[in-house]
Amino acid sequence: MKYMLLVCGDDTVDASGMAPVEPWVEELSAERGVRLHGHRLRLPADAVTVRVRDGEVLRTDGPFAETKEYVAGYDILECATLEEAVEAAAKHPVASVGAMEVRAFWEDEDAEGQIRRLEAELTAAVRNHDVDRAMACYAPDAEVFSAADGVERRGVAALRKAAELRCSTAAGPVEREVLDLRVRVDESIAFGHALVRTRAALADGGKLDRTERVTTGYRLAGDRWRIVHEHTSVPCDTSAVTTNEEGRS
C-alpha cells in the first residue's frame, strides 16, 4: 500500500542541529526500495490559497491557516503495513524537530490489474486484426521501436500504418502470448517487462513464430492507462560474433 508522509516543520523549534535528510532518502530509496519519490515545498509565505464563493474566485496570498507547524515537504512510500510506514517516518530527521503525518492512499482499483487488462485487450485486438481496437491501447504521442524491422515510430498514425501492413501479411488469427509480465507502478507512470511470443500463418504460405523481449511504458490519462513507450528486442546469437586477436568484437 502507498502512504504519503507529510513532513511538518515547526517555526518555534531550532532545527540547526537536525541530522541531514540525504542518508534517510538513500536508505529508503536505493537500499530498501520503499521510498518512491518526494520533494521539498516552498515556505508557507509563498503559498496562495484559493476559494470559490458564489462563483467568484477568491485568492489569498499565504497559507490556508496561520499555524506554527506547516507542511515543508512530502514523501511517497510503498510499504506492506502501516507499521512499516510509521517506522520509516520515525527515522526521518524532521521527526526529531517537527512532526511526520502518515496518510494512507485511498484504495482505488488496482493499477497493475488495469495494466494487465490493457495487455489482454491488445492481445485480443491483434488476434482479430482489429487495428482500431489495438490503437486505442496507445497514447496519441506513443513511441514504439520494433526489432522486427528496426524502425522507430512516433504517434498513432505511424503505428496504425505499420499495424495495417502486418495484418495484410497474416492469413488468419495472430496469436500473441504475453509471458512473465512484470509491472512496476508509480502513481501515473508504470513500466512493464515481458516476453511476447507472436505466431501466425502468413499469406505467402510461410509461418511466423517470434519471441521478443518487450519493455513497455504506460501512462495514466484520466482514468485509463495507455501505452506511451514500447521497445522490443530479440535474442542475440553470441556464437555468430567474431572477435579479433585482442578479444574485441
Side-chain angles (χ1 to χ4, degrees), residues 6-248:
L6 298 176
V7 184
C8 302
D10 189 334
D11 279 339
T12 65
V13 177
D14 180 11
S16 60
M18 187 186 77
V21 177
E22 287 76 12
W24 181 88
V25 172
E26 178 69 17
E27 178 187 349
L28 268 73
S29 300
E31 297 178 14
R32 294 175 54 186
V34 171
R35 181 180 182 271
L36 302 180
H37 57 83
H39 214 287
R40 295 175 61 188
L41 299 177
R42 295 183 67 88
L43 294 174
D46 297 325
V48 175
T49 301
V50 178
R51 298 178 175 86
V52 178
R53 298 294 184 270
D54 298 325
E56 180 183 0
V57 178
L58 305 177
R59 168 177 168 158
T60 305
D61 292 335
F64 168 72
E66 295 289 347
T67 63
K68 65 178 183 178
E69 292 185 339
Y70 61 92
V71 178
Y74 69 91
D75 293 279
I76 306 297
L77 308 184
E78 186 163 16
C79 301
T81 63
L82 173 61
E83 288 68 27
E84 183 181 356
V86 169
E87 178 187 359
K91 292 182 178 179
H92 195 290
V94 172
S96 64
V97 296
M100 303 291 295
E101 183 174 334
V102 182
R103 300 274 293 274
F105 276 45
W106 191 265
E107 283 293 337
D108 293 322
E109 186 177 0
D110 177 46
E112 181 176 338
Q114 294 182 32
I115 290 171
R116 291 183 180 275
R117 284 193 292 277
L118 173 66
E119 286 291 339
E121 175 74 4
L122 181 58
T123 295
V126 170
R127 173 181 172 80
N128 298 313
H129 299 196
D130 191 336
V131 176
D132 289 339
R133 187 177 176 186
M135 292 303 100
C137 298
Y138 291 86
D141 58 345
E143 298 185 8
V144 175
F145 174 80
S146 172
D149 57 12
V151 175
E152 180 183 18
R153 296 177 174 87
R154 298 183 178 183
V156 168
L159 297 180
R160 176 182 293 276
K161 184 177 180 180
E164 290 172 346
L165 177 61
R166 286 195 299 270
C167 288
S168 68
T169 63
V174 178
E175 300 297 333
R176 178 181 185 266
E177 185 179 8
V178 180
L179 308 170
D180 189 28
L181 174 60
R182 290 165 291 145
V183 178
R184 176 71 172 178
V185 182
D186 182 6
E187 301 304 311
S188 59
I189 297 294
F191 290 93
H193 305 276
L195 289 174
V196 176
R197 184 180 184 185
T198 306
R199 292 173 292 174
L202 301 179
D204 62 4
K207 290 185 178 181
L208 171 67
D209 191 346
R210 181 175 64 234
T211 300
E212 299 170 308
R213 167 67 63 184
V214 182
T215 300
T216 309
Y218 309 89
R219 182 174 64 212
L220 181 62
D223 60 351
R224 182 175 179 182
W225 288 92
R226 284 191 171 91
I227 298 169
V228 294
H229 174 85
E230 190 176 84
H231 185 103
T232 65
S233 59
V234 294
C236 176
D237 182 4
T238 57
S239 64
V241 178
T242 59
T243 59
N244 58 23
E245 294 180 356
E246 296 179 352
R248 297 176 180 175

